[in-house]
């Protein structure tokens, strides 16, 4: 049964799939528009993913970086939130299929994000990524369980493996996670264990490319590498992972192969589009890039379907510069804002110039008092960059109470060296390992849907 009765007597219906930065921004900007908005997400909350590593290392709790979607849009009387899983669409009939229902739409905005990419390897259980709350809690469980096991282990070799952490991928997530983990082991935890010296922990950061933070200028990448090494992180560049098995990660650099016994292996080496992108391609003929992202027009629509927008990490917008718009929060929010404005313009028989992404720079935190910032020709690092990173991240958080909580938590952690969320919880289930855990298409072709 459809959730939309008497469609033609209703206002123009905009359905937004995904409550991440792009989808939520579009919903907020349509709050006073003469439209009916339905925001669909498998979760009931918006997640501030850039701070997941803080949850994974026990500095913040999940609730500190998440906001209930219904609460965020509560004052928007034209906005309806549905907790549901999108599995397919029919662009000709303007229908969106949920696992347990269906929706009619006039305009569709797809903003389902990305998931972790293991490049064809079955390593998701052996090396969890960091895309969802469940991921962060599982990483936290593994990190602190390793320290607890090391506290009881008398065999030096086994204890060494328990205190060895390998992080694959040296983009911002990998760098931030490595820095936080090094600080945790070498400073915050050293007075809390009696039978093991946590400063013996070894943290490996493994990067297949020539340098870490490859989207930063070489000088900032070199600065970040130096600061990580000061924290005790072993940085391996031009090194590829060839196997993960039995708590051993095998890496290859040139002609040299090395086995690293490590009980905690974490993944941050790549992303792929949410599986719904394949359904979009099958239904509309839209082309996908190698990561499964949907190539979009200059106005973020799908070719041939001016009423279907694809935004955020799910979209490949390649109309500006030599590379696609990056998958970062500011870009997603700008796209959400643009699409909402364009929809409102269309009601006045007006349009907008093509979407243009404004780059507000790149930031990555390395550790306490250390970060790197790149904004056009301006580049700086150290404590000023760390302060800039701190306030910019808090600025982008949705609700004021989250901002206040995070600031208090960080201040407490900064001045005392203590973290307040070092809990070891039961292992959860997150088989799909998707960004925000939203989408698992049931069908990927029109014939299978009609069967």
């Amino acid at each position: 049964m459809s959730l939309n009765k008497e469609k033609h007597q209703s206002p123009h219906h905009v359905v937004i799939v995904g409550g991440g930065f792009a989808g939520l921004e579009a919903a907020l900007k349509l709050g006073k528009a003469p439209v009916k908005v339905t925001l669909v997400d498998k979760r009931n909350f918006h997640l501030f993913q850039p701070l997941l590593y803080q949850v994974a290392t026990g500095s913040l709790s999940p609730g500190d970086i998440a906001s209930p979607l219904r609460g965020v849009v509560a004052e928007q009387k034209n906005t309806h939130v549905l907790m549901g899983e999108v599995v397919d669409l029919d662009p000709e009939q303007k229908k969106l299929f949920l696992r347990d229902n269906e929706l009619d739409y006039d305009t569709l905005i797809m903003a389902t994000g990305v998931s972790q990419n293991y490049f064809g390897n079955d390593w998701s259980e052996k090396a969890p990524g960091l895309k969802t709350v469940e991921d962060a809690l599982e990483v936290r469980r593994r990190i602190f369980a390793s320290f607890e096991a090391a506290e009881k282990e008398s065999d030096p070799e086994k204890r060494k493996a328990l205190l060895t952490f390998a992080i694959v991928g040296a983009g911002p997530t990998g760098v931030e996670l490595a820095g936080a983990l090094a600080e945790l082991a070498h400073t915050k935890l050293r007075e809390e264990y009696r039978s093991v010296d946590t400063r013996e922990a070894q943290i490996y950061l493994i990067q297949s490319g020539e340098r870490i933070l490859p989207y930063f200028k070489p000088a900032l990448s070199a600065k970040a590498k130096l600061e990580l090494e000061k924290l005790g992180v072993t940085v391996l560049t031009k090194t590829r992972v060839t196997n993960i098995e039995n708590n051993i990660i095998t890496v290859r650099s040139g002609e040299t192969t090395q086995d690293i016994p490590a009980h905690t292996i974490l993944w941050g080496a790549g992303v792929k589009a949410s599986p719904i992108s394949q359904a979009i391609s099958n239904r509309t003929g839209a082309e996908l890039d190698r990561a499964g992202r949907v190539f979009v027009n200059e106005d973020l629509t799908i070719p041939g379907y001016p009423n279907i927008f694809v935004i955020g990490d799910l979209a490949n917008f390649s109309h500006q510069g030599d590379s696609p718009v990056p998958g970062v929060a500011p870009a997603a929010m700008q796209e959400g804002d643009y699409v909402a404005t364009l929809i409102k313009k269309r009601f006045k028989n007006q349009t907008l110039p093509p979407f243009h992404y404004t780059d507000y720079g790149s930031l990555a935190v390395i550790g306490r008092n250390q970060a790197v910032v790149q904004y056009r020709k301006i580049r700086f690092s150290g404590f000023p960059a760390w302060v800039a990173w701190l306030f910019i991240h808090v600025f982008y958080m949705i609700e004021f109470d989250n901002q206040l909580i995070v600031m208090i938590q960080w201040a407490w952690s900064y001045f005392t060296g203590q973290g307040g969320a070092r809990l070891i919880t039961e292992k959860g289930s997150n088989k799909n390992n998707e960004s925000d855990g939203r989408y698992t298409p049931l069908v990927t072709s029109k014939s299978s849907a009609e069967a």
Side-chain angles (χ1 to χ4, degrees):
M1 181 183 71
S2 173
L3 291 176
N4 301 317
K5 296 180 179 179
E6 299 181 1
K7 171 188 170 186
H8 298 293
Q9 297 179 16
S10 302
H12 187 94
H13 190 196
V14 180
V15 176
I16 303 171
V17 185
F21 288 106
L24 185 56
E25 184 71 11
L28 291 172
K29 290 300 169 64
L30 288 171
K32 295 182 179 180
V35 297
K36 174 185 176 183
V37 178
T38 299
L39 177 60
V40 183
D41 198 303
K42 187 178 178 181
R43 305 299 176 87
N44 73 332
F45 57 86
H46 167 82
L47 179 66
F48 192 82
Q49 285 186 332
L51 292 182
L52 273 175
Y53 83 95
Q54 295 261 354
V55 175
T57 52
S59 295
L60 294 172
S61 295
D64 298 337
I65 64 168
S67 300
L69 289 171
R70 295 183 186 278
V72 175
V73 300
E75 296 184 2
Q76 296 184 193
K77 302 306 179 184
N78 69 338
T79 304
H80 181 202
V81 176
L82 282 181
M83 186 175 173
E85 184 177 12
V86 174
V87 295
D88 201 11
L89 72 159
D90 185 340
E92 309 305 328
Q93 298 296 321
K94 298 182 181 179
K95 288 184 178 293
L96 188 70
F97 298 101
L98 281 62
R99 185 169 293 278
D100 58 356
N101 222 311
E102 65 182 55
L103 282 168
D104 297 320
Y105 67 84
D106 296 301
T107 296
L108 177 63
I109 302 174
M110 301 296 293
T112 59
V114 293
S115 62
Q116 207 68 64
N117 191 353
Y118 292 89
F119 306 102
N121 298 292
D122 187 21
W123 293 340
S124 60
E125 291 296 322
K126 302 168 185 176
L130 202 56
K131 292 294 181 184
T132 69
V133 166
E134 287 80 6
D135 289 340
L137 294 178
E138 174 60 14
V139 170
R140 187 180 73 181
R141 185 190 72 81
R142 295 191 186 198
I143 289 173
F144 290 104
S146 290
F147 284 112
E148 294 296 334
E151 175 80 350
K152 298 181 292 184
E153 183 56 63
S154 58
D155 185 292
E157 289 301 315
K158 292 181 179 179
R159 185 169 63 244
K160 181 180 178 181
L162 286 165
L163 291 177
T164 299
F165 304 84
I167 301 167
V168 184
T173 297
V175 167
E176 291 170 349
L177 188 56
L181 189 50
E183 285 193 331
L184 182 70
H186 298 157
T187 60
K188 293 181 180 180
L189 296 183
R190 63 181 182 179
E191 301 296 332
E192 298 184 11
Y193 289 83
R194 301 294 179 259
S195 301
V196 65
D197 186 351
T198 61
R199 290 173 295 182
E200 295 177 358
Q202 292 184 298
I203 295 96
Y204 289 89
L205 180 61
I206 303 165
Q207 171 73 351
S208 62
E210 294 186 358
R211 56 190 177 89
I212 68 173
L213 298 176
Y215 295 108
F216 285 72
K217 296 297 182 181
L220 288 180
S221 293
K223 174 66 174 177
K225 181 175 182 288
L226 177 64
E227 294 301 330
L228 283 172
E229 290 172 340
K230 286 181 180 179
L231 288 172
V233 177
T234 300
V235 180
L236 303 178
T237 55
K238 294 188 277 189
T239 303
R240 293 186 177 276
V241 177
T242 59
N243 193 37
I244 301 175
E245 195 71 43
N246 299 323
N247 296 320
I248 295 175
I249 181 169
T250 303
V251 298
R252 183 179 182 86
S253 179
E255 299 300 320
T256 303
T257 299
Q258 178 184 5
D259 288 336
I260 303 174
H263 274 255
T264 305
I265 303 169
L266 309 175
W267 193 267
V271 295
K272 61 181 179 180
S274 168
I276 198 67
S277 68
Q278 188 61 59
I280 294 172
S281 177
N282 290 336
R283 297 302 196 181
T284 67
E287 295 184 9
L288 307 180
D289 66 10
R290 293 179 61 184
R293 295 171 298 187
V294 181
F295 284 103
V296 295
N297 294 323
E298 291 183 326
D299 61 356
L300 299 170
T301 60
I302 295 176
Y305 294 88
N307 66 328
I308 301 180
F309 295 88
V310 178
I311 60 175
D313 292 348
L314 188 65
N316 182 318
F317 183 88
S318 301
H319 305 283
Q320 181 181 334
D322 299 327
S323 58
V325 167
V328 294
M333 295 174 74
Q334 289 178 40
E335 290 176 355
D337 187 3
Y338 174 88
V339 168
T341 303
L342 179 56
I343 291 171
K344 289 185 283 188
K345 287 283 188 181
R346 285 179 174 179
F347 282 104
K348 301 177 182 178
N349 293 319
Q350 299 174 352
T351 187
L352 287 175
F355 171 74
H356 181 85
Y357 167 59
T358 301
D359 186 1
Y360 292 114
S362 302
L363 307 91
V365 69
I366 303 160
R368 189 182 185 200
N369 296 340
Q370 288 294 333
V372 291
V373 173
Q374 176 176 292
Y375 175 66
R376 296 180 182 175
K377 295 184 178 180
I378 301 173
R379 300 155 204 161
F380 58 101
S381 59
F383 182 73
W386 182 81
V387 173
W389 175 90
L390 170 66
F391 282 98
I392 289 173
H393 273 67
V394 172
F395 172 79
Y396 277 110
M397 296 193 77
I398 297 298
E399 294 183 318
F400 175 78
D401 57 348
N402 290 77
Q403 295 172 336
L404 182 61
I405 290 169
V406 170
M407 288 295 289
I408 292 173
Q409 291 273 37
W410 265 332
W412 175 259
S413 179
Y414 182 82
F415 289 112
T416 68
Q418 300 296 314
R422 299 181 196 145
L423 309 179
I424 299 176
T425 54
E426 291 294 325
K427 183 177 181 179
S429 174
N430 188 25
K431 296 180 180 179
N432 295 324
N433 196 33
E434 294 178 17
S435 175
D436 295 329
R438 293 187 184 106
Y439 313 100
T440 311
L442 288 176
V443 294
T444 56
S445 67
K446 191 167 184 178
S447 59
S448 61
E450 293 174 344

